[in-house]
Amino acid sequence: MTRTAIVTGAARGIGAATAKRLAADGNAVAVLDLDEAQCAQTVTAITDAGGRALAVGANVADAASVERAVARIAEELGAPTILVNNAGIIRDNLLFKMTEDDWDAVLAVHLRGAFLMSRAVQEHQVKAGWGRVVNLSSTSALGNRGQANYAAAKAGMQGFTKTLAIELGRFGVTANAVAPGFIVTDMTRATAERLGVSFEDFIAHNAAEIPVGRAGAPDDIAAAVSYFCSEGAGFVSGQVLYVAGGPRA
Ligand code: NAP
């Protein structure tokens, strides 16, 4: 059966790869990002491959924007029962230099965003008696220099996930988290820029520390998300899967 999935932050990076993967798995996919025009590339890739997709511009940190987006998706694509909370930003700084804005912005997109999206989508999942929520955490949840805000948000995603699993399980809804390690995207490119090193050197430096001997790709994360969204993963809930090329960050 065709289900409707929403992937937030799906204009690029891990979200784009996940949207394409969930479409290839047979789902209609809402490609949601801040700027609707930026979603075109992901949508075209899906439709060119024979899938169904809709570009949706929305700010996950804004309740009214989220409500509007989910209502539109239900109307135009079908009731959403799969939700991937992937939208994210970084505002890295050592604690003594971190501003309140740095803190609030990161917590707003990751945590408030996942909360608002999940609250809006659960209505459709409960009605259907089936659902999947996958939240993007990070190895930074274990602590990472310069990322007090981001680490707190990503650890928060794990507690949020486990609580959704407990509350929504009786309605056939599972909730799990994927915690990526180092993945080659614009986000890690921005980190290299901040540190003043070339992206190539930054990738090589990180890959040297990873047991499988390479950096991760967005498709590595999309494969894990796809598993949690699958029919067969219905008895797996409240879990955090580190996808980092080794056992730890
Ligand atoms: P990315 O390339 O920076 O993509 C993130 C996307 O989220 C962007 O398209 C961005 O839009 C969108 N976004 C930001 N704020 C939003 C908002 N308020 N509402 C809707 N969309 C918003 O990041 P990525 O590397 O693919 O990361 C995806 C997720 O994986 C994030 O949650 C990140 O924390 C997590 N993660 C990444 C890594 C890694 O190594 N890359 C590791 C661990 C976890 P704009 O371009 O318009 O800002």
Side-chain angles (χ1 to χ4, degrees):
M1 83 181 279
T2 306
R3 303 192 190 274
T4 297
I6 303 177
V7 183
T8 69
R12 54 197 170 94
I14 292 168
T18 300
K20 289 181 227 172
R21 176 60 193 258
L22 292 182
D25 291 344
N27 303 292
V29 180
V31 176
L32 186 152
D33 212 293
L34 270 178
D35 179 1
E36 190 161 317
Q38 297 286 321
C39 299
Q41 219 179 333
T42 310
V43 167
T44 305
I46 291 172
T47 49
D48 282 355
R52 223 173 128 221
L54 176 71
V56 180
N59 177 2
V60 297
D62 181 86
S65 176
V66 164
E67 292 297 330
R68 265 198 311 277
V70 172
R72 182 182 157 210
I73 291 162
E75 172 101 13
E76 293 185 33
L77 216 50
T81 53
I82 298 175
L83 172 64
V84 183
N85 285 310
N86 166 83
I89 58 168
I90 46 172
R91 295 282 186 274
D92 294 356
N93 240 325
L94 292 174
L95 181 62
F96 77 103
K97 284 194 280 192
M98 188 171 283
T99 67
E100 285 133 286
D101 278 353
D102 291 337
W103 178 269
D104 290 344
V106 167
L107 274 283
V109 177
H110 294 273
L111 273 183
R112 189 168 206 269
F115 155 62
L116 292 173
M117 286 298 305
S118 303
R119 191 180 63 178
V121 168
Q122 60 80 32
E123 180 193 339
H124 298 286
Q125 296 173 319
V126 167
K127 218 177 269 171
W130 189 94
R132 300 282 186 262
V133 180
V134 182
N135 294 319
L136 268 290
S137 178
S138 167
T139 49
S140 294
L142 304 168
N144 198 26
R145 186 178 166 81
Q147 291 197 316
N149 49 1
Y150 185 79
K154 291 311 201 183
M157 291 297 261
Q158 298 189 9
F160 178 65
T161 301
K162 290 172 194 206
T163 300
L164 291 192
I166 291 166
E167 289 189 12
L168 299 176
R170 73 187 61 181
F171 304 107
V173 180
T174 67
N176 292 284
V178 174
F182 183 89
I183 312 298
V184 177
T185 70
D186 290 344
M187 188 176 274
T188 37
R189 183 184 291 277
T191 305
E193 261 167 40
R194 181 177 60 83
L195 297 173
V197 294
S198 80
F199 196 31
E200 288 65 35
D201 288 351
F202 191 54
I203 292 170
H205 171 80
N206 277 280
E209 302 292 318
I210 298 172
V212 301
R214 66 170 177 89
D219 282 344
D220 291 316
I221 305 308
V225 175
S226 168
Y227 166 68
F228 280 135
C229 293
S230 69
E231 227 40 70
F235 202 55
V236 181
S237 197
Q239 301 304 302
V240 179
L241 181 63
Y242 283 85
V243 182
R248 53 177 174 265

